[in-house]
Amino acid sequence: MSKLSDYMSVTGMAEPYVHFQGSLGDEGVCSGFVPVQSTLDVFAFLQEAAATHASCRAAICYGTYGAGKSRLCVVLERLFRCGFDIAALQPVWKRMMQREWGEHLQGLRSVMSPGSAPWRPWLTIPLAEAGNAPTLDGALFRGLVKAVRLAGLSNQLLGSTVFEAAAARLEAMVADGIVYSAKEAAPYPTAESLARALREDCDPDALSHFDSWHSDRTAGVPFSAVLEASPGVAAQTGELYSRVAEQITAYDYAGVAVIWDEFGFAIEELLNGAKRAQRQLGVEAMALQNFVETACRGSSPLGGKVVFLGFTHVSLAEYGSRAGLETGERDRLQVTAARFRQPDIPIRLNSAETEGYHLLSAMRVLTDEGALLLSN
């Protein structure tokens, strides 16, 4: 006697929520994702962004709690890193096929693997919330350095960064007889510990500490003035991303993909810090704008690309309105937001999906017998 399980099974999802970075290796979270109509908007953007000549490769995706943004982040990270054909993504593609979205899926595949060429992975940078750094730019920088090291790639990809240049300048000054002395309560008691914090940890506090010490020992000459006269140093994070995206093609990578879940939390922390005069809204907003303009437009001569996807609950401009910013600060945030793909991409359920029937249907996985029965 036949049983229902002979014909179908139902995807199980143990938790109603996921933590993005903690779920990157969880096959169940990835395979259990249920695509909705707005998923196609994200895929359409990726189809544009992965093309050789894209006007903009950075987008903000916003949606309320429970819209599936974190699960989508897990799927996108796995897609960029591993390609279309891994087992964990097959149930997701099957659900898209059941909703007759195969054409959209094939369109994305044809751009990311043109001419049925072998898959070329992307260096993925998964960030969440504040990004484990005191600034937005710092989170992007440290995320890239960590990704390069975890992938086992050569540090030569990074070339000479601001932190590397600072460490080298510190060591040269000490070698010339300039005595290093830490300020009171500073966590860098020796020149060696400061150089290590700069070179290995890419610590922005260490960079600030060194800059202050440098000015004290050079009659007020800031380190930034030395940096301007140092050719080959990537002074901005966007420049560093562009350099890595270009050189990483020699390792058979297609580019760099930044996926920032709860990016809205990072924006809120920036705005709250600016209110307390602990962070500089204008400086950080301009740095983010420069990153998008420098790294996420066009492509290198070798084809390397940088894609950025930030997931929030509302648009960047609305964060400014909600925070009650002054007109000038709101305008600064609005100008930065305009550098991203316009309009922003909403992640939401449409009216039919809100009823939940399609979700239940998508969670159904047919066996071969079930598919044959349905076709008959």
Side-chain angles (χ1 to χ4, degrees), residues 96-299:
M96 293 185 68
M97 298 295 287
Q98 288 174 348
R99 294 197 70 181
E100 299 182 351
W101 292 345
E103 182 178 346
H104 300 277
L105 185 60
Q106 185 56 42
L108 179 59
R109 180 191 286 266
S110 65
V111 171
M112 299 186 79
S113 294
S116 300
W119 173 257
R120 297 173 67 207
W122 295 61
L123 181 69
T124 59
I125 301 175
L127 300 174
E129 300 175 349
N132 194 31
T135 66
L136 301 179
D137 198 57
L140 288 165
F141 183 95
R142 296 175 83 171
L144 178 61
V145 172
K146 180 180 178 180
V148 167
R149 291 174 178 173
L150 284 177
L153 298 169
S154 171
N155 269 337
Q156 292 181 351
L157 275 175
L158 300 170
S160 183
T161 67
V162 173
F163 294 93
E164 176 64 34
R169 174 67 173 167
L170 169 63
E171 291 164 346
M173 291 174 69
V174 171
D176 286 341
I178 300 177
V179 178
Y180 171 81
S181 57
K183 293 186 177 181
E184 186 177 353
Y188 318 105
T190 65
E192 290 76 12
S193 64
L194 178 56
R196 184 167 53 251
L198 289 166
R199 183 173 282 120
E200 297 180 12
D201 301 335
C202 301
D203 187 343
D205 290 335
L207 185 61
S208 177
H209 179 82
F210 168 72
D211 196 37
S212 177
W213 177 82
H214 188 280
S215 294
D216 289 344
R217 294 297 185 275
T218 57
V221 177
F223 173 60
S224 57
V226 177
L227 201 62
E228 290 176 359
S230 303
V233 177
Q236 296 182 349
T237 301
E239 294 175 12
L240 182 61
Y241 268 76
S242 295
R243 174 195 293 170
V244 171
E246 178 173 331
Q247 296 184 1
I248 206 173
T249 57
Y251 296 83
D252 209 27
Y253 280 79
V256 179
V258 182
I259 303 171
W260 197 329
D261 191 26
E262 296 292 350
F263 182 55
F265 179 83
I267 298 297
E268 290 172 345
E269 287 290 285
L270 167 59
L271 299 181
N272 291 333
K275 283 183 179 180
R276 298 190 296 267
Q278 296 173 339
R279 295 175 67 170
Q280 297 176 289
L281 174 59
V283 172
E284 291 200 45
M286 179 59 74
L288 180 61
Q289 178 179 323
N290 287 338
F291 170 80
V292 174
E293 291 177 340
T294 304
C296 302
R297 295 181 183 274
S299 62

